[in-house]
Amino acid sequence: MTRVIAAIGDLMFRSKVDVAAQALGTEIAYVHDASEIIEQLRMGTPDLILLDLNAAKLHPMDTLTTLRQNGAFEAIPIVAYAGHTQTTLLE
């Protein structure tokens, strides 16, 4: 089974991810902060990390840096996203 760690702040988007995950038979582990990501990584390597760049509690840019600098985690694919209205974040 495919396993995804998802740090998603928006409940509407999270519900869409849930529907897609169920249709694909994908296990989703939702986290709320960087320490929970590390905890999930210790439980096993996911196939993907989905990261909301607007999740303030997560400190997403610091989290990305930490994951990429750790040799054990650097090969895990990460999809990071921001809403199209968050122009300052995209810059």
Side-chain angles (χ1 to χ4, degrees), residues 1 6 13 19-20 28 31-32 34 36 40-41 43-45 49-50 53 62 69 76 82-83 87 89:
M1 175 181 278
F13 187 64
V19 169
I28 304 280
V31 297
H32 300 96
E36 289 181 13
Q40 284 293 320
L41 289 169
M43 295 169 50
T45 303
I49 297 173
L50 186 57
L53 293 176
D62 293 337
Q69 289 178 343
I76 300 170
T87 56
L89 183 60

Side-chain angles (χ1 to χ4, degrees), residues 3-58:
R3 182 169 171 263
V4 174
I5 296 173
I8 300 174
D10 182 273
L11 293 177
M12 293 297 289
F13 187 64
R14 185 175 170 159
S15 68
K16 292 177 183 183
V17 169
D18 281 336
V19 169
Q22 285 179 348
L24 297 170
T26 300
E27 174 190 342
I28 304 280
Y30 288 103
V31 297
H32 300 96
D33 59 40
S35 65
E36 289 181 13
I37 290 177
I38 300 301
E39 183 179 319
Q40 284 293 320
L41 289 169
R42 288 187 182 130
M43 295 169 50
T45 303
D47 297 288
L48 176 72
I49 297 173
L50 186 57
L51 182 63
D52 180 354
L53 293 176
N54 293 313
K57 274 179 67 175
L58 185 65

